[in-house]
């Protein structure tokens, strides 16, 4: 299509601000961005839509336009919702680089323009295949009765002989045609996609898994809805969907690639529409969280929970139990793009926690409709009603035992005694793909509270989940979680002991024993560990070490002599125990 066609459609609400002589340029696609440098995602011929969030002052306009012109884009459309009238410095920069510039009225959604361009481009460049895309669009915009993404993928299979699946960033299947994608395969494909996206490579990404080649197309939100356009890839990489196609797109003609890109944009429009419902649940969670943190009266919190329960638990007339989950995503200075302090980590953690809390065995984009997640500062906080989980488990024949299987826990009875969410089970199926998306500069830490039965317990549950998350943060690894049951142990305290204090404490108690062992091969450290493990029982410890009791007494006496401690005293036993754990 030509640029001038945009001005012929009054419904698009576009006003030309410059570039009248360039309106015969061809438009090959559309892209929405607020990145300062979106060049990695541009291939030429795009109409670029921007909300101007990248612009901090007048000096930012010329570099941005220069990058677009260098990439060969067809034109730029700037929204008036953020700053009102389009700044003169942007108009001048576009004139200087001969880039057509349009103003988008604040009443017009970017999704409307995207859908129009995709339909027109597909119609002019893909010939008879464009009828397929247009058919997809009509079915998707007709509402739930049309079938949504599933219909699009069915038509890709029947009309283009392509098997495809829409996946979440963790690899959970959201939509698919025909045979469902196995969970491990979906996780592997998501991991490939996230790793490639973090390197800055432009999609589609090629992935070979188990002897089959897949092409992975990013699906980014094209509307002004839930998630603003990212300034840094790290702000969106962990929330974008992807389209996995069982084919090698590296040798596809441009027309077919354009067609698939158009399909991803149509699915993105559908996702934007579905995400709108999430704002209600987020608002409910935010209201409850603000009341809890402000120390509001339990009666006031309970009243708010009664409002939330019908939304989160449709059809259940009982007061639910609640669990609180706290998540945080932290970035180091190793990444590229925006400075670490400029990355909005709270919304990233919020979108990611909403995905993690969905049962990986449940497919479809609406399976998260009972999850309410708010964010405050750098944290995301989820309010999870337990009856929703137990009801779903009862209907599917699954329960705590399936949680145990996903977490690698052998004793399912132990989980049956503690129903609800379990920290390890939450991360079992998502750890691999998320680690790829976090790369070398990101960390996800998560804490889970115990269940509470009333509004009075929510404040304690929130603090419990936060403490558990701090325990997880003290552990090594890119993706770590801790549960409430770990807060009753000394394990909670050890990670927070400063390194210099650890070294001094362990050296004072254990270095004399290590030196003696090196000189005499006396195995005093091994003896000390066994003695404490046997709760100071002489006979059990001697049997474990295959020693005579008198030999054991001699060794313990040597330990006491070298350290000046008395292993019959509880305080000294505890000091030795902690020193061994910290070493």
């Amino acid at each position: 299509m030509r640029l001038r066609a945009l001005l012929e459609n009054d419904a698009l609400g576009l006003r030309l601000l410059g570039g009248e002589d360039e309106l015969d340029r061809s438009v090959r696609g559309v892209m929405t961005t607020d990145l300062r440098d979106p060049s990695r995602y541009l291939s030429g011929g795009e109409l670029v839509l921007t909300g101007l969030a990248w612009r901090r002052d007048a000096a930012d306009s010329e570099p941005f336009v220069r990058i677009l012109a260098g990439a060969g884009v067809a034109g730029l459309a700037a929204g008036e919702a953020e700053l009102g009238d389009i700044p003169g410095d942007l108009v001048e920069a576009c004139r200087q680089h001969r880039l057509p510039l349009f103003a988008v009225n604040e009443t017009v959604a970017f999704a409307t323009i995207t859908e129009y361009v995709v339909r027109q481009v597909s119609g002019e460049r893909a010939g008879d295949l464009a009828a397929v895309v247009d058919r997809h669009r009509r079915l998707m915009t007709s509402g739930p009765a049309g079938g949504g993404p599933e219909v699009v993928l069915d038509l890709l299979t029947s009309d283009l002989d392509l098997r495809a699946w829409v996946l979440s960033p963790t690899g959970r299947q959201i939509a698919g045609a025909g045979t469902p994608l196995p969970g491990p395969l979906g996780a592997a494909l998501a991991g490939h996609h996230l790793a490639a996206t973090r390197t800055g490579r432009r999609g589609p990404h090629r992935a070979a898994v188990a002897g089959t080649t897949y092409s992975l197309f990013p699906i980014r939100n094209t509307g002004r809805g839930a998630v603003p356009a990212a300034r840094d890839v790290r702000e969106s990489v962990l929330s974008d969907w992807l389209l996995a196609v069982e084919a090698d797109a590296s040798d596809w003609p441009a027309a077919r690639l354009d067609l698939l890109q158009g399909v991803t944009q149509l699915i993105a429009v559908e996702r934007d529409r579905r995400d709108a419902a999430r704002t209600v649940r987020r608002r409910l969670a935010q209201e409850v969280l603000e009341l809890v943190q402000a120390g509001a009266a339990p009666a006031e919190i309970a009243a708010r929970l009664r409002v939330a329960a019908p939304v989160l638990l449709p059809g259940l007339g009982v007061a639910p139990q609640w669990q609180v989950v706290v998540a945080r995503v932290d970035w180091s200075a190793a990444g590229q793009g925006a400075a670490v302090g400029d990355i909005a980590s709270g919304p990233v953690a919020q979108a990611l926690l909403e995905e993690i809390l969905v049962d990986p065995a449940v497919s479809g984009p609406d399976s998260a409709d009972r999850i309410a997640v708010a964010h405050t500062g750098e944290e995301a906080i989820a309010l999870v009603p337990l009856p929703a989980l137990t009801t779903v488990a009862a209907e599917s024949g699954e329960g705590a035992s399936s949680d145990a299987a996903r977490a690698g826990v052998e004793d399912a009875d132990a989980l049956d005694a503690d129903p609800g969410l379990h920290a390890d089970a939450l991360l079992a199926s998502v750890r691999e793909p998320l680690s790829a998306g976090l790369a070398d500069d990101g960390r996800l830490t998560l804490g889970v509270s115990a269940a509470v039965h009333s509004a009075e317990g929510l404040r304690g549950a929130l603090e419990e989940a936060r403490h558990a998350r701090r325990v997880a943060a003290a552990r090594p690894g890119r993706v770590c979680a801790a549960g409430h049951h770990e807060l009753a142990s000394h394990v909670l305290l050890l990670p927070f002991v400063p390194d210099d204090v650890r070294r001094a404490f362990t050296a004072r108690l254990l270095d004399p024993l290590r030196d003696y062992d090196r000189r005499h091969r006396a195995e005093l450290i091994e003896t000390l560990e066994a003695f404490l493990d046997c709760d100071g029982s002489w006979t059990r410890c001697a049997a474990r070490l295959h020693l005579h009791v008198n030999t054991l007494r001699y060794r313990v006496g040597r330990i006491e002599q070298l350290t000046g401690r008395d292993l019959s005293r509880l305080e000294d036993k505890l000091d030795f125990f902690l020193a061994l754990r910290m070493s």
Side-chain angles (χ1 to χ4, degrees):
M1 65 173 289
R2 305 292 179 182
L3 273 178
R4 65 175 67 256
L6 297 172
L7 296 173
E8 295 169 359
N9 187 335
D10 294 337
L12 299 182
L14 294 176
R15 197 169 76 257
L16 184 65
L17 300 182
E20 211 169 277
D21 297 337
E22 304 291 332
L23 291 180
D24 284 327
R25 291 187 182 187
S26 295
V27 180
R28 297 180 61 249
V30 63
M31 176 193 178
T32 300
T33 186
D34 272 320
L35 290 171
R36 287 188 169 190
D37 180 3
S39 57
R40 72 183 73 172
Y41 304 114
L42 297 171
S43 58
E46 296 93 343
L47 172 67
V48 174
L49 307 176
T50 180
L52 299 179
W54 50 266
R55 184 186 179 277
R56 298 181 182 177
D57 54 47
D60 291 334
S61 291
E62 195 280 331
F64 179 78
V65 174
R66 184 172 67 248
I67 289 169
L68 298 187
V73 306
L76 173 65
E80 295 179 323
E82 183 77 17
L83 301 178
D85 291 338
I86 305 304
D89 46 89
L90 181 60
V91 177
E92 174 58 26
C94 288
R95 185 198 64 76
Q96 177 184 342
H97 290 280
R98 301 182 62 83
L99 183 67
L101 174 64
F102 302 87
V104 183
N105 189 282
E106 63 179 354
T107 62
V108 178
F110 283 1
T112 301
I113 301 173
T114 297
E115 191 173 353
Y116 175 79
V117 172
V118 169
R119 187 167 66 251
Q120 295 301 314
V121 169
S122 298
E124 293 180 9
R125 299 203 59 209
D128 58 339
L129 292 180
V132 177
V133 177
D134 194 56
R135 183 180 173 197
H136 297 172
R137 181 194 61 79
R138 292 197 306 271
L139 286 167
M140 291 177 66
T141 56
S142 65
E150 297 282 358
V151 172
V152 176
L153 302 184
D154 283 338
L155 290 171
L156 279 179
T157 301
S158 61
D159 290 26
L160 301 179
D161 196 26
L162 292 174
R163 297 180 65 214
W165 302 265
V166 177
L167 304 178
S168 77
T170 65
R172 179 178 60 88
Q173 180 173 316
I174 294 169
T179 306
L181 202 65
L185 177 55
L189 292 176
H192 280 288
H193 172 73
L194 291 173
T197 302
R198 285 304 313 274
T199 64
R201 285 185 291 156
R202 195 179 303 159
H205 308 302
R206 184 179 182 276
V209 180
T212 302
T213 300
Y214 299 86
S215 295
L216 311 175
F217 295 80
I219 299 174
R220 298 186 177 91
N221 251 343
T222 56
R224 299 178 182 177
V227 181
R231 293 173 290 115
D232 186 290
V233 67
R234 289 172 288 184
E235 290 186 340
S236 61
V237 66
L238 297 176
S239 59
D240 285 339
W241 289 359
L242 67 139
L243 177 68
V245 181
E246 190 179 312
D248 187 349
S250 60
D251 58 353
W252 281 4
R256 176 161 284 213
L257 281 174
D258 283 352
L259 184 65
L260 264 292
Q261 294 289 1
V263 170
T264 65
Q265 290 168 344
L266 289 176
I267 294 175
V269 172
E270 172 72 0
R271 178 189 177 176
D272 187 54
R273 187 180 70 174
R274 292 175 183 267
D275 281 352
R278 183 184 300 177
T279 60
V280 176
R281 301 190 300 275
R282 286 179 169 179
R283 186 167 62 248
L284 287 172
Q286 195 73 41
E287 291 172 355
V288 173
L289 175 63
E290 289 173 358
L291 290 174
V292 170
Q293 294 192 129
E300 186 177 0
I301 299 173
R304 179 53 53 189
L305 287 177
R306 284 194 293 273
V307 173
V311 176
L312 301 177
L313 298 168
L316 294 181
V318 296
Q321 302 176 46
W322 303 92
Q323 266 184 295
V324 175
V325 183
V326 173
R328 177 171 174 143
V329 175
D330 293 290
W331 303 102
S332 69
Q336 300 176 350
V340 172
D342 293 335
I343 299 175
S345 295
V348 176
Q350 182 181 41
L352 193 53
L353 188 53
E354 286 169 335
E355 168 62 25
I356 290 172
L357 289 173
V358 178
D359 186 339
V362 179
S363 64
D366 294 326
S367 52
D369 62 357
R370 294 176 176 176
I371 296 168
V373 183
H375 75 83
T376 173
E378 301 302 305
E379 286 183 335
I381 301 168
L383 192 64
V384 183
L386 291 186
L389 297 177
T390 56
T391 300
V392 170
E395 292 173 353
S396 62
E398 299 177 355
S401 58
S402 76
D403 280 341
R406 290 199 302 273
V409 177
E410 295 182 0
D411 186 4
D413 291 337
L415 291 181
D416 283 329
D418 183 19
L421 300 176
H422 299 270
D424 289 337
L426 285 175
L427 295 183
S429 62
V430 302
R431 183 174 274 108
E432 181 179 347
L434 291 185
S435 295
L438 292 164
D440 294 328
D441 59 343
R443 287 198 78 206
L444 166 67
T445 51
L446 183 145
V448 182
S449 79
V452 295
H453 302 268
S454 64
E456 289 89 340
L458 276 182
R459 186 178 182 86
L462 175 59
E463 291 306 312
E464 189 173 59
R466 282 175 166 160
H467 281 307
R469 193 206 63 79
R470 286 193 283 269
V471 170
R475 296 171 174 167
R478 288 289 164 199
V479 181
C480 299
H484 60 91
H485 59 281
E486 298 179 60
L487 303 185
S489 167
H490 64 278
V491 176
L492 170 66
L493 302 177
L494 296 186
F496 302 102
V497 178
D499 289 342
D500 55 342
V501 176
R502 285 172 179 256
R503 288 191 292 269
F505 182 75
T506 57
R508 186 166 60 250
L509 280 175
L510 302 183
D511 279 2
L513 306 183
R514 291 176 177 140
D515 292 342
Y516 191 87
D517 281 346
R518 278 194 296 270
R519 293 196 307 270
H520 302 283
R521 298 183 180 179
E523 299 180 347
L524 295 185
I525 292 290
E526 180 184 353
T527 301
L528 176 62
E529 290 176 332
F531 186 73
L532 294 175
D533 283 344
C534 294
D535 298 323
S537 168
W538 296 99
T539 54
R540 283 195 290 125
C541 183
R544 175 184 292 191
L545 295 174
H546 306 290
L547 298 174
H548 192 279
V549 171
N550 289 340
T551 304
L552 175 62
R553 290 185 184 276
Y554 171 80
R555 288 188 182 182
V556 170
R558 180 62 68 183
I559 292 171
E560 293 174 335
Q561 180 185 7
L562 291 170
T563 60
R565 299 300 186 105
D566 182 356
L567 278 168
S568 66
R569 297 179 67 246
L570 176 61
E571 293 86 347
D572 288 342
K573 286 181 181 177
L574 181 59
D575 283 348
F576 277 122
F577 175 78
L578 293 174
L580 289 168
R581 282 299 183 97
M582 286 192 290
S583 65

